[in-house]
């Protein structure tokens, strides 16, 4: 995943920002504990969101303090890794592995050297994560194969292409130990978050994909030859993205959670919209390159 | 029965006005009209029932917004074509949530009229394929501009987007004026679709 799912910091209270940090560091510790320090380099906000949502079902959870590489002097407060954090860690290892595989396939031999190296280093970690989540790994494999076919046929349906990644993310709900009702809701909510991530990432990659003559669902949908989107095309994209975010939020409102409602609301209603705007006006990539 | 205070999310010493205000907010959020053709519609309905019961047990009446169900697929609507039976069947599948059957029946029809486009849009919508849903709804509206059901389906998507976008207002905190305007607007939309948000108008 790509780090698109994050809160809008300016709208977040200090307390909530601290709590988000605690979960972020908790996931980092979960990765280190199960997979070693190297894997914690792949930590990102999308997986933190996953961990946050899974942790929100529990009323309490132990918070510890420890020094680490990024906070060597005072240490950081972190959520003690438990089932929901380890699950997020397993999922992140599997998805990171497949993302690197994707890079190797898409880029030239020399450009993909780093990705090839990383795959070699993390292969054993991936095998370990796969042992924890065999069904999820199978789903990821199947959905990515479907996506590969769609790419080769240059399908012009955004929905068809986004459906693969949306189903993949949606299937994570099955792995968490939830009531049937919550599992159903979470699966629907994650479908729309997955759809959002896929479409926003496709908009972000539009220019690069056109230059390298790679499949891009947005380019295929509007038969684009340049990355400049017309007003109509932008409105169409905003409409469909907003409707996914609206559906994810409606689903979330039905979820029986015990805490962190304000942070999740911030992400769903403000964070994701801010990210969409940044990607749409081209400031997202610039911010990342700085 | 669950603790009504917990269900409504109010403290035990909340005043009647506070309870009423919270109830109104919750009723607006979980109103069946916000979950039309949504796979989670049954859960929203359940939630609405719990809220109504909690409100009734605290204030002694069932409130203004007791709803029995959202907008359902009206099987009474029969298009006047040779395919009307098959379309009624497709509608029945959609309302039962059997999207795969509905879709395969739709794909077997070669004569594609406005009704076909509308139902194809509905199936896409249920799957979360919103770009295709919108395109099919638009085609249905263009083919049969006088059909309110088709138009409502399209307007519903815009309305939900607007509700989502205006959450908390531009700088967090919706002004009283916006809130009323939205409520009245939502009420008008609901009435069009057979529901009612403000019972007196």
């Amino acid at each position: 995943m790509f780090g698109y799912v994050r809160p809008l910091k300016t709208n977040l209270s200090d307390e909530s920002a601290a709590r988000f940090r605690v979960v972020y560091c908790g996931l980092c510790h979960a990765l280190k504990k199960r997979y070693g320090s190297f894997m914690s380099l792949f930590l990102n906000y999308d997986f933190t969101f996953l961990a946050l949502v899974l942790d929100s079902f529990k009323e309490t959870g132990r918070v510890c303090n420890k020094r680490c590489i990024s906070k060597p002097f005072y240490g950081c407060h972190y959520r003690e890794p438990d089932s929901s954090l380890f699950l997020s860690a397993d999922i992140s290892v599997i998805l990171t592995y497949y993302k690197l595989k994707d890079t190797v396939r898409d880029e030239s031999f020399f450009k993909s050297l780093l990705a090839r190296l990383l795959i070699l280093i993390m292969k054993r970690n991936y095998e370990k994560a796969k042992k924890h989540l065999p069904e999820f790994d199978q789903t990821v494999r199947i959905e990515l194969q479907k996506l590969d076919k769609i790419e080769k046929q240059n399908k012009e349906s955004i929905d068809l292409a986004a459906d693969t990644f949306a189903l993949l993310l949606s299937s994570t709900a099955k792995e968490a130990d939830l009531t049937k009702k919550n599992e159903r809701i979470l699966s629907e909510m994650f479908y729309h978050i997955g759809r959002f991530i896929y479409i926003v990432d496709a908009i972000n990659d539009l220019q690069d994909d056109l230059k390298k003559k790679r499949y891009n669902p947005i380019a295929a949908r509007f038969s684009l030859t340049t990355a400049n989107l017309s007003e109509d095309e932008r409105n169409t994209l905003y409409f469909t993205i907003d409707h996914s975010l609206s559906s994810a939020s409606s689903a979330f409102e039905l979820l029986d959670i015990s805490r962190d409602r304000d942070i999740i609301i911030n992400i769903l209603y403000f964070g994701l919209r801010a990210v969409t705007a940044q990607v749409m006006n081209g400031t997202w990539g610039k911010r990342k390159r700085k | 029965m669950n603790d009504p205070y917990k269900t409504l999310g109010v403290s035990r010493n909340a005043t009647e006005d506070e309870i009423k205000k919270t109830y109104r907010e919750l009723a607006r959020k979980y109103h069946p009209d916000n979950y039309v053709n949504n796979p989670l519609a049954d859960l929203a309905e359940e939630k609405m029932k719990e809220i109504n019961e909690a409100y009734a047990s605290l204030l002694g009446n069932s409130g203004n917004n007791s709803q029995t169900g959202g907008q359902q697929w009206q099987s009474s609507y029969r298009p006047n074509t040779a395919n009307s039976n098959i379309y009624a069947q497709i509608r029945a599948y959609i309302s039962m949530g059997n999207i795969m059957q509905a879709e395969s029946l739709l794909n077997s029809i070669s004569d594609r009229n406005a009704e076909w486009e509308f139902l194809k849009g509905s199936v896409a919508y249920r799957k979360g394929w919103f770009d295709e849903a919108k395109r099919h709804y638009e085609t249905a509206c263009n083919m049969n501009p006088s059909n309110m059901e088709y138009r409502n389906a399209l307007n519903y998507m815009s309305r939900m987007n607007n509700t989502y976008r205006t959450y908390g207002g531009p700088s967090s905190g919706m002004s009283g004026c916006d809130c009323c305007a939205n409520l009245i607007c939502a009420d008008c939309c609901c009435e069009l679709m057979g529901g009612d948000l403000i019972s007196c108008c």
Side-chain angles (χ1 to χ4, degrees):
Chain A
M1 301 213 284
F2 324 87
Y4 294 114
V5 184
R6 54 177 67 203
L8 183 63
K9 292 254 165 74
T10 50
N11 278 27
L12 209 59
S13 68
D14 289 347
E15 200 186 323
S16 297
R19 164 75 185 148
F20 187 76
R21 186 84 209 165
V22 161
V23 176
Y24 183 83
C25 293
L27 181 57
C28 182
H29 280 275
L31 278 164
K32 274 185 203 159
K33 212 166 174 179
R34 191 169 270 183
Y35 298 102
S37 294
F38 176 72
M39 284 316 294
S40 69
L41 293 174
F42 295 98
L43 183 66
N44 81 23
Y45 282 149
D46 294 341
F47 301 121
T48 309
F49 174 72
L50 185 68
L52 184 76
V53 172
L54 295 178
D55 204 36
S56 71
F57 292 102
K58 296 167 194 150
E59 270 168 31
T60 51
R62 236 168 78 99
V63 173
C64 315
N65 192 315
K66 211 179 194 176
R67 285 179 205 174
C68 66
I69 299 171
S70 66
K71 293 270 177 67
F73 301 111
Y74 302 107
C76 66
H77 290 282
Y78 66 95
R79 173 82 171 81
E80 188 184 47
D82 67 353
S83 60
S84 58
L85 286 169
F86 280 125
L87 173 59
S88 308
D90 297 339
I91 290 170
S92 83
V93 169
I94 290 177
L95 288 180
T96 302
Y97 180 78
Y98 281 104
K99 175 121 174 72
L100 289 170
K101 285 275 229 191
D102 191 54
T103 309
V104 168
R105 214 191 42 183
D106 278 355
E107 299 285 352
S108 64
F109 180 79
F110 289 105
K111 271 202 170 165
S112 66
L113 272 179
L114 178 65
R116 283 169 199 274
L117 184 68
L118 292 176
I119 286 178
L120 276 180
I121 299 174
M122 71 168 290
K123 178 90 179 160
R124 272 179 57 198
N125 286 328
Y126 160 71
E127 294 295 345
K128 192 170 168 186
K130 190 176 148 184
K131 267 200 194 113
H132 284 287
L133 300 174
E135 258 182 70
F136 177 68
D137 178 72
Q138 179 77 358
T139 309
V140 176
R141 195 181 293 266
I142 290 170
E143 292 306 326
L144 292 183
Q145 272 166 4
K146 257 162 60 184
L147 186 59
D148 189 45
K149 243 188 204 158
I150 291 166
E151 289 179 0
K152 285 197 176 109
Q153 294 169 346
N154 198 33
K155 291 276 191 197
E156 56 98 42
S157 168
I158 297 178
D159 295 321
L160 180 69
D163 187 58
T164 56
F165 193 74
L167 284 176
L168 181 164
L169 200 60
S170 164
S171 75
T172 58
K174 259 193 301 214
E175 304 294 342
D177 188 20
L178 301 172
T179 62
K180 266 275 163 267
K181 184 180 150 197
N182 280 336
E183 185 190 312
R184 224 185 108 195
I185 299 169
L186 205 58
S187 152
E188 179 73 8
M189 176 176 154
F190 281 170
Y191 181 92
H192 294 295
I193 301 276
R195 185 174 185 271
F196 159 85
I197 294 175
Y198 183 84
I199 296 176
V200 164
D201 191 51
I203 300 170
N204 196 40
D205 286 346
L206 186 55
Q207 196 158 22
D208 209 28
D209 286 345
L210 282 170
K211 208 168 81 190
K212 291 177 181 155
K213 297 195 162 47
R214 279 195 304 235
Y215 171 76
N216 182 291
I218 312 291
R221 161 74 165 86
F222 301 119
S223 315
L224 297 176
T225 47
T226 69
N228 297 324
L229 292 163
S230 73
E231 195 59 31
D232 264 3
E233 288 156 357
R234 292 169 69 87
N235 287 340
T236 300
L237 290 172
Y238 262 122
F239 189 96
T240 214
I241 290 171
D242 281 351
H243 211 70
S244 263
L245 296 182
S246 157
S247 303
S249 310
S250 309
F252 170 71
E253 298 289 3
L254 294 168
L255 218 49
D256 296 320
I257 56 165
S258 306
R259 58 172 165 171
D260 297 334
R261 194 184 133 77
D262 55 334
I263 312 179
I264 301 173
I265 286 279
N266 175 300
I267 294 173
L268 290 176
Y269 286 93
F270 301 106
L272 300 186
R273 260 171 72 209
V275 167
T276 309
Q278 279 174 11
V279 170
M280 280 288 214
N281 64 28
T283 50
W284 174 262
K286 284 187 190 113
R287 205 182 57 82
K288 255 167 104 182
R289 248 174 259 138
K290 258 180 203 170
Chain B
M1 196 183 143
N2 294 332
D3 176 4
Y5 290 99
K6 212 178 156 197
T7 305
L8 293 180
V10 293
S11 73
R12 287 192 180 276
N13 41 25
T15 63
E16 197 177 315
D17 278 352
E18 281 167 352
I19 293 174
K20 276 186 181 160
K21 189 171 166 254
T22 310
Y23 168 75
R24 250 180 261 127
E25 275 166 20
L26 291 174
R28 209 175 75 154
K29 193 193 284 180
Y30 296 111
H31 195 283
D33 284 350
N34 291 334
Y35 291 86
V36 175
N37 198 14
N38 186 312
L40 305 176
D42 57 318
L43 297 179
E45 210 177 296
E46 214 174 86
K47 184 99 184 168
M48 192 74 206
K49 225 169 115 189
E50 279 171 25
I51 293 164
N52 280 332
E53 279 168 10
Y55 184 78
S57 81
L58 289 184
L59 293 185
N61 65 51
S62 61
N64 297 328
N65 286 326
S66 60
Q67 296 288 334
T68 47
Q71 201 232 355
Q72 290 300 322
W73 297 96
Q74 271 129 41
S75 46
S76 58
Y77 178 75
R78 294 263 192 278
N80 188 20
T81 68
N83 280 324
S84 70
N85 276 338
I86 195 164
Y87 284 135
Q89 212 177 336
I90 292 167
R91 276 173 182 260
Y93 279 132
I94 295 175
S95 78
M96 283 186 293
N98 193 342
I99 299 305
M100 261 168 64
Q101 275 290 349
E103 199 165 23
S104 78
L105 267 184
L106 275 169
N107 291 340
S108 72
I109 299 174
S110 53
D111 173 27
R112 297 176 175 183
N113 57 11
E115 177 74 1
W116 186 88
E117 292 288 344
F118 169 69
L119 292 178
K120 187 82 177 167
S122 306
V123 164
Y125 188 90
R126 182 69 79 94
K127 290 197 297 182
W129 292 33
F130 299 137
D131 190 42
E132 292 190 8
K134 181 170 174 261
R135 286 210 264 179
H136 285 294
Y137 285 157
E138 279 169 347
T139 313
C141 288
N142 288 337
M143 287 167 92
N144 188 351
S146 62
N147 186 306
M148 281 315 284
E149 191 185 17
Y150 304 164
R151 184 132 328 257
N152 284 340
L154 195 56
N155 289 344
Y156 174 76
M157 290 185 82
S158 308
R159 181 167 70 81
M160 291 305 286
N161 282 357
N162 286 337
T163 310
Y164 166 75
R165 279 191 217 114
T166 50
Y167 181 90
S171 55
S172 129
M174 187 192 278
S175 78
C177 191
D178 285 348
C179 177
C180 288
N182 286 347
L183 198 62
I184 292 168
C185 175
D187 180 55
C188 295
C189 294
C190 291
E191 276 165 8
L192 277 177
M193 297 170 95
D196 193 10
L197 205 55
I198 311 172
S199 57
C200 56
C201 61

